[in-house]
Amino acid sequence: GKGRDAAAFLDEIRDLQTGLQKVGLDGQAIKTFVRGLSHGQRQSLLASLERQRLSPRWAEAFTRAYGCWAEILRDLSKRWKPELHVEISRANIAQDWTLALPLVEDAVKRKAFAEAIDIIDEALRSRLRLDGTERWNPCKELLVEREVWHHGDEQSTKLATLLHCWMKAAHAQKQPELAAALALQIAALRHAEDGETMLKAFHAFPAQFHAIRDRLF
């Protein structure tokens, strides 16, 4: 109503938000407002966020996986600045491992398999809360054993998608034993409570890799 542009208005909204104590603004309402702006207004907002990315006002949006401003930034950058979207998504995988999924799928699509495996490693270390030196080995341990409380939920489905991308990379890099182990891991994430299906999956494991099969069994 005062003729201010959307970026300046949202600067004031953010300032109001950070100044509040014991109460907060409705994050969903803020996201709905931003999504209702014109293309030009949203592009101007993205440019404003980038200019101020190191400022106390907006730095948090770039360094957090959660919150309405982080989601808004990812939405805007995905549409108008893909390289920024990749940068901030990858930087925040440690906070939210699911940010890795679109990055991994894109890397596999581009046949950048080494890049995909690096991102998968980051995602799994985040999901399993491993330290910087520890790694999960799909040839030695069933992931579903660690995921017992999440079996069958959305997180399990996303993990299966992540492992499927890893399996594609393993095939491309001519690592049949790793691909076979990952196929079994995916089956276990999806059918851990179905004994008949799991026995079929174990029987289908290539005979030349029986040592890996037996370890996982």
Side-chain angles (χ1 to χ4, degrees), residues 203-211 213:
H203 282 304
F205 208 93
Q208 65 268 39
F209 306 131
H210 68 273
R213 178 201 62 194

Side-chain angles (χ1 to χ4, degrees), residues 30-102:
I30 295 172
K31 289 189 288 184
T32 299
F33 174 79
V34 171
R35 288 166 184 163
L37 296 172
S38 69
H39 287 192
Q41 289 171 323
R42 281 180 284 160
Q43 286 176 301
S44 295
L45 173 58
L46 177 60
S48 176
L49 291 172
E50 276 200 280
R51 282 195 303 271
Q52 301 183 72
R53 68 178 296 174
L54 298 179
S55 70
R57 176 187 285 147
W58 290 118
E60 189 176 275
F62 291 84
T63 58
R64 292 287 181 92
Y66 301 102
C68 71
W69 299 112
E71 291 179 39
I72 286 168
L73 177 60
R74 286 198 299 271
D75 285 347
L76 296 176
S77 60
K78 184 177 182 180
R79 179 157 191 170
W80 285 295
K81 199 126 187 199
E83 66 279 10
L84 177 62
H85 181 262
V86 170
E87 176 196 338
I88 58 179
S89 294
R90 186 156 187 180
N92 291 300
I93 288 173
Q95 297 176 50
D96 179 2
W97 71 272
T98 64
L99 294 176
L101 280 173

